[in-house]
């Protein structure tokens, strides 16, 4: 996988903009299975993250990977973000990073 | 043509045989006329006249309604008038005819009759005295233009055609100052009547006023009992509040009615029943002239600047110190005291310079005195908290005489107690009296004022039947005197009653009561209320729970203002009078290692540790200058010099004990031991290194201070907090938001200035801060509310309008 290009910060809404592109998102783990994790994005939408999740998961999880559809990410990098996370702030970040200030990010 | 005029009527007017038009409508001639404008009513011209009946003169005043007649020329000098409506009153011992309606019989006429005196003295006025002479034609204007509280009018007391005697005599009575017009309220002046005279108003500076006397009358304005109000349009005497000569020609017509033909007659101070002989203290007071009948005592509440000669009988409730002052006019000294009389009237009396010397020893708090003849002026509400619009200034004519017999009618003190519960809702800085039970009192502490002087402070808790308790702070001498008394009482297990008179409500985390210079404290007073309090306390107060209205930790209202480091310099924070309190999110990048602590005094000073730097005596003991004691072991307290950096800039700050501990993670004493006692350099360095590059939220107090000649802005760390990323981010988000709306509202995309956007997100900024930090009562976010130029690369926005 191409790891050099920057990953866009996405929430549920923004994911569809980047289908086929590298994205990153923080999700709240709802359910985890072998090979996938169902998570809630910071704007309360459900997506599926495919790949090999780490054995133990905290409440919040950041995934970086390619957006496969408007509700699926194939993730390569999984990072536990702990149990305390301000989803609201992250959401705002996503909006700003893709809106007004996208020139700063991509 | 003398028959035309009503001959002899003037005499009758003087004798009060004729007083107004009911008696008769005399026909008189205007022999002189003068217009003047009173200071008080510049829009209204007033006209004074000299009226003649062919042989005698009398002064008169035309009602405003008659002005048109004069202005149109129908009424002029020489005109013959029938007074259709008039009133003759006694003003300052002069008869003045105030005319409201006339019939002009003849407009132009030669002056009828031959009169005794030369008129037109005005030309002589020039050389008279160094004082400003009234350059009026024989008219003398007196009194001030203040209107009395009853709306009484003033009539210019005019001399009737007197000539200026060209001499000037300094005050006749030894001590110089004093008003030249005594307004002696006559004895039958009971409360309501006002003397509508020009007043000898107290505003006359207590300077010399040469009195010029001719052979004749004094210019004593003995207002007679003011039963008559002069009912003209307000005639205000526009008297220049300056020195004035009193000029008396011979045979002044004043003679008639004025019983005391001379001014400065010995002021009778006592009332008839008591004394027959002149009290000795007046022996050396100049002439002679007869007193009027001794004046009766009037209630304090009836005093006003237009009271003539007055006397009050009152008790001294408080006495101030003899103060020296220095103002552009020169040096002087003053002392004042408060008086209370039987009707509950209160008033402050002040004495200056010589008068102060004269009376200072004499006045004793609690004694009864008869006081006469001072001048009255509006009270200075700033310093005088008594419920009286006026205050007395005593002068050389004033007399103070002690009453040796008690008068139970006059209380020792008048209180207007408020319950502690009321205080909560009262305005800060208002002056009140309060009574309560002292539930606890702390020892005196010394406070260093900003001016550098030290003063004592002592606080106690006061409880009363409202179920509330309040902190009362006393300052200065009160700490030692009453404070000590209270302390001993409390220490011995008692709960004394305390009354506080004239203390100020202050606000600092709730409401508290604080004494001011003129406050008075009374321990265990002999009052009905005190009794009641004691009983209540014994019954229930002791054990009842109390809600304190002081020291409430009110949440909210304290806002911290987010700034970046560069803004400290850019916005010149700290340079105004008050320090600026800001919050910065920054990293410690360097700490000075050399002096991270100082040796502090561990002794307790009140409820706080002294913490002043102690000096090493060399023998293992430490000396504290402030406590004036030596201790074996000193305390170690942090004094960290840190360099902070954020994305905008660098700055140095100083952190003290509490913040220091938070940053270093250990008490100063421990760190001191590590370095100096254990000599563990490695461990020490390790600790120091760990501190570097730690990021915190710093609450800073920024203030410009002058060291030597240079002012530098110094920042002190008041509080250090770990960053809560969540709320911090939210803060930033809001700031971004605000920037956005600002930019939207201004034209160019950059540096939106001033006008706030339609949404004002600043409030939410504060709200967020509020939940993050407990409010420690150190913030005044007001002036910097919502200055949202934070981040976003727009450092210097000065956002007004928030």
């Amino acid at each position: 996988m191409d790891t050099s290009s920057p990953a866009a910060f996405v929430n549920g809404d923004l994911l569809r903009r980047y289908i086929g592109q590298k994205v990153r998102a923080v999700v709240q783990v709802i359910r985890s299975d072998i090979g996938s994790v169902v998570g809630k994005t910071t704007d309360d939408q459900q997506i599926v993250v495919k790949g090999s999740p780490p054995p133990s998961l905290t409440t919040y999880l950041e995934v970086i990977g390619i957006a496969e559809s408007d509700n699926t990410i194939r993730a390569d990098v999984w990072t536990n973000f702990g149990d305390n996370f301000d989803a609201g702030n992250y959401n705002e970040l996503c909006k700003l990073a893709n809106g007004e200030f996208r020139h700063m990010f991509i | 043509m003398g028959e035309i005029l009503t001959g002899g009527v003037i005499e009758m007017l003087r004798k009060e045989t004729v007083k107004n038009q009911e008696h008769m409508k005399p026909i008189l001639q205007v022999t002189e006329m003068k217009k003047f404008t009173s200071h008080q009513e510049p829009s209204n011209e007033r006209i004074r006249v000299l009226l003649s009946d062919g042989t005698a003169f009398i002064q008169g005043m035309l009602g405003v309604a008659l002005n048109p007649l004069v202005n149109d020329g129908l009424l002029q000098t020489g005109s013959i008038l029938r007074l259709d409506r008039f009133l003759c009153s006694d003003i300052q011992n002069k008869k003045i005819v105030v005319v409201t309606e006339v019939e002009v019989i003849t407009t132009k006429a030669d002056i009828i009759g031959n009169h005794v005196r030369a008129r037109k003295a005005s030309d002589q006025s020039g050389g008279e005295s160094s004082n400003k002479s009234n350059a009026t034609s024989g008219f003398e204007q007196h009194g001030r233009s203040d209107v009395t509280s009853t709306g009484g009018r003033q009539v210019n007391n005019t001399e009737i055609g007197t000539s200026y005697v060209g001499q000037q005599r300094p005050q006749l009575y030894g001590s110089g100052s004093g008003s030249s017009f005594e307004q002696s309220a006559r004895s039958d002046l009971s409360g309501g009547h006002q003397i509508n005279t020009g007043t000898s108003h107290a505003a006359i500076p207590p300077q010399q006023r040469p009195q010029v006397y001719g052979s004749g009358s004094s210019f004593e304005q003995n207002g007679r009992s003011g039963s008559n109000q002069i009912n003209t349009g307000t005639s205000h005497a526009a008297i220049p509040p300056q020195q004035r000569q009193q000029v008396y020609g011979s045979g002044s017509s004043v003679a008639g009615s004025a019983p005391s033909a001379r001014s400065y007659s010995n002021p009778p101070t006592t009332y008839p029943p008591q004394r027959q002989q002149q009290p000795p203290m007046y022996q050396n007071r100049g002439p002679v002239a007869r007193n009027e009948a001794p004046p009766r005592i009037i209630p304090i509440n009836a005093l006003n600047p237009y009271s003539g000669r007055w006397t009050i009988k009152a008790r001294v409730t408080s006495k101030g110190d003899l103060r020296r002052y220095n103002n552009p006019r020169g040096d002087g000294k003053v002392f004042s005291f408060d008086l209370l009389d039987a009707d509950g009237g209160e008033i402050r009396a002040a004495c200056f310079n010589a008068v102060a010397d004269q009376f200072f020893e004499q006045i004793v708090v609690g004694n009864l005195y008869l006081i006469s003849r001072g001048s009255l002026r509006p009270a200075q509400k700033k310093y005088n908290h008594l419920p009286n619009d006026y205050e007395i200034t005593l002068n050389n004519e004033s007399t103070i005489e002690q009453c040796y017999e008690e008068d139970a009618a006059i209380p020792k003190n008048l209180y207007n107690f408020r319950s502690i519960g009321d205080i909560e809702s009262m305005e800060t800085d208002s002056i009140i009296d309060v009574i309560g039970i002292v539930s606890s009192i702390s020892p005196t502490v010394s406070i260093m004022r900003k001016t550098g002087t030290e003063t004592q402070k002592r606080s106690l808790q006061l409880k009363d039947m409202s179920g509330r308790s309040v902190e009362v702070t006393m300052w200065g001498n009160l700490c030692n005197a009453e404070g000590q008394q209270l302390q001993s009482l409390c220490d011995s297990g008692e709960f004394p009653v305390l009354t506080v008179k004239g203390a100020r409500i202050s606000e600092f985390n709730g409401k508290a009561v604080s004494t001011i210079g003129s406050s008075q404290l009374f321990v265990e007073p002999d009052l009905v209320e005190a009794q009641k309090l004691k009983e209540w306390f014994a019954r229930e107060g002791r054990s009842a729970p109390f809600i304190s209205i002081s020291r409430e930790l009110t949440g909210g209202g304290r806002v911290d203002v987010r700034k970046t480091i560069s803004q400290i310099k850019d916005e010149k924070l700290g340079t105004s009078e008050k320090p600026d309190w800001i919050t910065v999110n920054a990293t410690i990048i360097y700490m000075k290692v050399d002096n991270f602590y100082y040796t502090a005094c561990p002794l307790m000073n009140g409820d706080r540790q002294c913490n002043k730097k102690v000096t090493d005596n060399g023998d293992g003991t430490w000396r504290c200058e402030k406590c004036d004691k030596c201790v074996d072991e000193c305390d170690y307290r942090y004094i960290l010099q840190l360099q902070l950096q954020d994305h905008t800039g660098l700055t140095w700050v100083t952190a003290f004990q509490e913040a220091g501990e938070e940053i270093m993670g250990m008490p100063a004493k421990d760190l001191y031991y590590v370095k100096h006692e254990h000599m563990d350099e490695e461990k020490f360095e390790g600790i120091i290194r760990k501190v570097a590059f730690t990021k915190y939220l710093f609450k800073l107090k920024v203030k410009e201070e002058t060291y030597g000649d240079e002012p530098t802005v110094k920042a002190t760390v008041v509080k250090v907090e770990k960053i809560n990323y969540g709320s911090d981010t939210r803060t930033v988000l809001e700031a971004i938001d605000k920037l956005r709306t600002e930019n939207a509202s201004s034209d160019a995309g950059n540096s939106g200035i001033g006008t706030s956007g339609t949404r004002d997100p600043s409030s939410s900024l504060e709200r967020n801060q509020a939940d993050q930090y407990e409010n420690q009562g150190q913030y005044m976010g007001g002036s910097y509310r919502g200055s949202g130029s934070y981040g976003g690369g727009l450092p210097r926005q000065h956002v007004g309008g928030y």
Side-chain angles (χ1 to χ4, degrees):
Chain A
M1 182 142 331
D2 187 10
T3 50
S4 58
S5 61
F9 286 90
V10 296
N11 55 17
D13 278 338
L14 294 162
L15 184 58
R16 67 202 57 173
R17 282 209 234 166
Y18 294 93
I19 299 183
Q21 296 179 49
K22 198 159 173 199
V23 294
R24 70 195 322 160
V26 171
V27 296
Q28 187 178 357
V29 177
I30 296 179
R31 209 170 51 247
S32 96
D33 302 318
I34 310 281
S36 73
V37 163
V38 176
K40 184 169 72 150
T41 62
T42 52
D43 57 350
D44 290 334
Q45 291 189 25
Q46 248 189 26
I47 62 167
V48 177
V49 187
K50 295 193 192 157
S52 28
S56 69
L57 290 170
T58 60
T59 312
Y60 289 92
L61 174 69
E62 191 205 38
V63 292
I64 307 178
I66 306 287
E68 286 192 342
S69 73
D70 60 357
N71 62 355
T72 325
I73 302 178
R74 176 165 295 281
D76 300 314
V77 183
W78 306 68
T79 318
N80 275 321
F81 261 29
D83 299 321
N84 280 329
F85 186 76
D86 193 323
N89 284 342
Y90 189 87
N91 209 40
E92 290 301 313
L93 167 64
C94 291
K95 290 198 273 183
L96 289 171
N98 288 293
E100 204 175 330
F101 300 105
R102 59 185 312 186
H103 56 278
M104 290 180 163
F105 289 84
I106 305 288
Chain B
M1 275 201 322
E3 315 78 274
I4 295 193
L5 304 179
T6 317
V9 70
I10 301 242
E11 187 66 20
M12 286 193 256
L13 285 167
R14 293 203 179 280
K15 289 216 172 83
E16 291 189 23
T17 315
V18 173
K19 271 199 125 15
N20 58 36
Q21 67 277 2
E22 304 288 315
H23 302 127
M24 72 150 66
K25 298 187 180 178
I27 298 182
L28 302 172
Q29 182 177 37
V30 177
T31 54
E32 279 179 39
M33 187 182 301
K34 169 147 188 74
K35 290 187 189 172
F36 73 97
T37 320
S38 83
H39 291 303
Q40 203 156 341
E41 270 192 64
S43 51
N44 264 339
E45 230 181 22
R46 302 315 307 277
I47 302 168
R48 292 225 301 250
V49 292
L50 200 56
L51 298 166
S52 140
D53 67 356
T55 34
F57 292 112
I58 195 164
Q59 289 187 35
M61 222 22 222
L62 297 185
V64 207
L66 301 178
N67 285 11
L69 285 175
V70 177
N71 291 331
D72 292 341
L74 288 169
L75 205 169
Q76 48 176 263
T77 308
S79 296
I80 298 178
L81 323 166
R82 186 180 66 232
L83 306 184
D84 282 339
R85 202 175 153 74
F86 70 94
L87 181 62
C88 181
S89 312
D90 213 324
I91 294 166
Q92 296 175 354
N93 200 30
K94 293 205 161 336
K95 288 280 178 222
I96 307 283
V97 179
V98 184
V99 189
T100 39
E101 268 180 54
V102 292
E103 165 112 15
V104 182
I105 299 183
T106 317
T107 299
K108 270 183 167 325
D110 295 326
I111 303 291
I112 298 168
N114 45 346
H115 301 93
V116 206
R117 279 152 298 117
R119 282 165 272 135
K120 283 300 176 274
S122 55
D123 317 321
Q124 303 175 25
S125 60
E128 246 68 36
S129 67
S130 52
N131 288 355
K132 330 285 181 274
S133 38
N134 304 336
T136 62
S137 57
F139 289 115
E140 195 136 8
Q141 309 192 14
H142 310 287
R144 284 275 296 239
S145 37
D146 316 275
V147 185
T148 66
S149 46
T150 64
R153 320 302 179 24
Q154 305 180 24
V155 175
N156 306 319
N157 284 322
T158 56
E159 290 292 335
I160 296 168
T162 55
S163 52
Y164 283 125
V165 174
Q167 75 223 40
Q168 169 191 8
R169 260 190 252 158
Q171 297 286 353
L172 291 180
Y173 305 109
S175 32
S177 74
S179 49
S180 53
F181 333 119
E182 302 316 310
Q183 301 244 16
S184 27
R186 282 297 297 287
S187 51
D188 31 3
L189 180 72
S190 50
H193 299 300
Q194 296 308 329
I195 301 201
N196 335 327
T197 62
T199 74
S200 55
H201 198 124
I204 292 156
Q207 280 150 16
Q208 311 313 326
R209 196 180 275 278
Q211 314 289 323
V212 184
Y213 296 98
S215 54
S217 56
S218 63
F219 196 38
E220 180 143 35
Q221 310 166 8
N222 283 324
R224 276 293 181 66
S225 101
S227 50
N228 301 318
Q229 300 274 4
I230 299 196
N231 47 346
T232 55
T234 1
S235 51
H236 296 280
I239 288 123
Q242 279 150 12
Q243 319 291 335
R244 204 161 304 223
Q245 331 159 11
Q246 322 292 324
V247 179
Y248 303 94
S250 45
S252 152
S253 53
V254 185
S257 48
S260 115
R262 326 282 138 120
S263 71
Y264 301 137
S265 51
N266 296 334
T269 59
T270 64
Y271 30 88
Q274 258 181 326
R275 280 165 213 250
Q276 306 309 325
Q277 75 282 16
Q278 260 330 332
M281 69 164 91
Y282 305 122
Q283 293 308 11
N284 55 351
R285 284 208 177 222
V288 259
R290 263 323 71 199
N291 326 326
E292 295 101 67
R296 281 219 302 265
I297 295 175
I298 65 167
I300 285 184
N301 282 329
L303 285 173
N304 63 74
Y306 310 106
S307 314
R309 269 185 48 192
W310 47 263
T311 304
I312 54 173
K313 179 178 178 187
R315 197 188 299 273
V316 175
T317 54
S318 85
K319 175 180 169 185
D321 294 326
L322 189 60
R323 259 189 328 113
R324 289 190 162 67
Y325 62 84
N326 184 312
N327 67 26
R329 287 213 300 256
D331 292 339
K333 48 188 163 177
V334 61
F335 95 98
S336 58
F337 54 96
D338 295 344
L339 296 161
L340 168 65
D341 73 354
D343 297 317
E346 295 194 78
I347 193 166
R348 173 163 294 183
C351 310
F352 290 88
N353 302 322
V355 187
D357 284 333
Q358 187 180 359
F359 291 133
F360 187 69
E361 301 299 323
Q362 199 180 351
I363 296 289
V364 173
V365 175
N367 282 349
L368 278 174
Y369 297 94
L370 280 165
I371 300 183
S372 308
R373 294 185 113 194
S375 39
L376 281 133
R377 60 174 179 177
Q380 297 171 301
K381 286 297 175 188
K382 189 164 156 215
Y383 301 112
N384 182 350
H385 306 293
L386 295 176
N388 196 318
D389 292 333
Y390 302 107
E391 48 187 41
I392 299 174
T393 304
L394 298 173
N395 49 47
N396 290 88
E397 277 80 50
S398 310
T399 57
I400 300 186
E401 193 186 305
Q402 189 165 0
C403 295
Y404 291 101
E405 55 187 40
E406 244 319 305
D407 189 342
I410 305 182
K412 285 244 162 51
N413 235 311
L414 194 64
Y415 294 105
N416 182 9
F417 289 125
R418 309 304 299 256
S419 83
I420 296 183
D422 286 345
I423 294 181
E424 214 172 336
S425 48
M426 285 180 70
E427 248 190 58
T428 315
D429 284 346
S430 45
I431 305 289
I432 53 153
D433 305 332
V434 71
I435 184 171
I437 299 271
V438 178
S439 56
S440 67
I441 179 169
S442 7
T444 313
V445 294
S446 253
I447 300 277
M448 181 78 74
R449 283 199 213 265
K450 283 196 196 132
T451 62
T453 54
E454 265 198 70
T455 190
Q456 316 289 99
K457 171 184 150 172
R458 196 161 198 164
S459 61
L460 56 90
Q461 291 289 330
L462 204 67
K463 294 187 163 117
D464 77 353
M465 296 191 259
S466 65
R468 298 264 191 286
S469 77
V470 69
E471 182 175 312
V472 176
T473 309
M474 47 189 125
W475 297 86
N477 293 337
L478 293 169
C479 292
N480 304 330
E482 284 82 349
Q484 203 41 50
Q485 201 182 355
L486 286 167
Q487 180 85 58
S488 1
L489 281 169
C490 285
D491 287 344
S492 50
E494 294 214 1
F495 295 96
V497 180
L498 175 72
T499 59
V500 185
K501 181 164 166 74
R504 186 171 49 98
I505 298 181
S506 51
E507 183 162 349
F508 184 83
N509 273 340
K511 292 269 196 314
V513 171
S514 188
T515 61
I516 54 177
S518 56
S519 302
Q520 287 177 290
L521 297 177
F522 295 97
V523 181
E524 298 281 4
D526 186 17
L527 293 171
V528 173
E529 289 92 338
Q531 258 327 98
K532 280 200 274 184
L533 262 177
K534 275 192 121 56
E535 286 164 18
W536 157 82
F537 193 73
R539 239 184 11 242
E540 31 169 295
R542 263 189 123 108
S543 37
F546 279 89
I547 307 174
S548 173
I549 67 173
S550 314
R551 228 196 301 271
E552 284 167 11
L553 281 178
T554 48
R558 318 281 179 184
V559 185
D560 58 348
V561 182
R562 255 328 160 84
K563 295 279 172 191
T564 60
I565 291 184
S566 59
Q567 282 178 286
I568 297 178
K569 211 182 286 177
D570 290 343
E571 292 177 7
K572 293 198 182 349
L573 297 181
T575 50
S576 61
E577 271 200 43
K578 285 189 160 180
D580 290 316
W581 308 80
I582 60 170
T583 310
V584 245
N585 191 340
T587 314
I588 300 177
I589 56 170
Y590 184 67
M591 185 175 97
K592 277 198 191 151
V593 203
D594 298 332
N595 285 324
F596 63 88
Y597 71 97
Y598 72 96
T599 49
C601 173
L603 301 173
M604 297 299 280
N605 194 352
D607 42 353
R608 283 190 317 124
Q609 219 178 327
C610 171
N611 288 337
K612 193 153 167 65
K613 182 166 175 183
V614 291
T615 45
D616 191 352
N617 290 332
D619 59 353
T621 58
W622 306 85
R623 181 175 165 74
C624 174
E625 294 299 331
K626 189 152 129 187
C627 304
D628 202 23
K629 291 209 183 82
C630 287
V631 285
D632 290 328
E633 272 226 22
C634 61
D635 196 11
Y636 296 92
R637 291 179 68 82
Y638 278 121
I639 176 166
L640 300 173
Q641 309 273 35
L642 305 163
Q643 195 173 25
L644 298 184
Q645 185 172 35
D646 72 357
H647 65 281
T648 61
L650 288 169
T651 186
W652 284 94
V653 302
T654 311
F656 291 100
Q657 179 74 341
E658 294 75 28
E661 280 193 15
E662 178 78 22
I663 294 171
M664 303 303 296
M666 64 197 325
K669 193 163 185 146
D670 292 356
L671 194 57
Y672 164 81
Y673 274 15
V674 167
K675 178 161 168 95
H676 294 262
E677 302 283 326
H678 304 160
M679 300 299 189
D680 197 342
E681 281 301 325
E682 222 181 89
K683 183 166 174 197
F684 184 73
E685 277 171 25
I687 297 173
I688 303 293
R689 222 176 303 129
K690 269 201 292 188
V691 172
F693 302 107
T694 48
K695 189 170 178 178
Y696 293 98
L697 202 58
F698 295 91
K699 285 200 187 18
L700 302 176
K701 172 183 157 193
V702 184
K703 184 83 189 74
E704 186 177 54
E705 288 167 16
T706 310
Y707 288 100
D709 298 323
E710 279 197 26
T712 14
V713 176
K714 299 217 68 191
T716 322
V717 178
V718 171
K719 199 163 189 328
V720 162
E721 278 172 23
K722 292 213 197 351
I723 308 232
N724 177 331
Y725 291 98
S727 51
D728 208 61
T729 316
R730 257 172 272 147
T731 311
V732 179
L733 275 172
E734 277 157 8
I736 295 177
D737 259 348
K738 209 187 318 153
L739 270 183
R740 258 203 259 142
T741 56
E742 266 175 35
N743 288 341
S745 66
S746 66
D747 281 337
N750 50 338
S751 290
I753 301 193
T755 54
S756 60
T758 45
R759 293 192 332 248
D760 189 348
S762 56
S763 46
S764 45
L765 200 147
E766 274 73 52
R767 244 186 294 119
N768 259 336
Q769 297 306 319
D771 61 358
Q772 178 180 350
Y773 308 123
E774 339 49 285
N775 298 285
Q776 295 298 320
Q778 302 185 24
Y779 285 54
M780 343 263 248
S783 51
Y784 285 88
R785 185 167 285 278
S787 172
S789 54
Y790 172 77
L794 294 167
R796 208 181 316 240
Q797 257 181 35
H798 195 54
V799 199
Y802 277 107

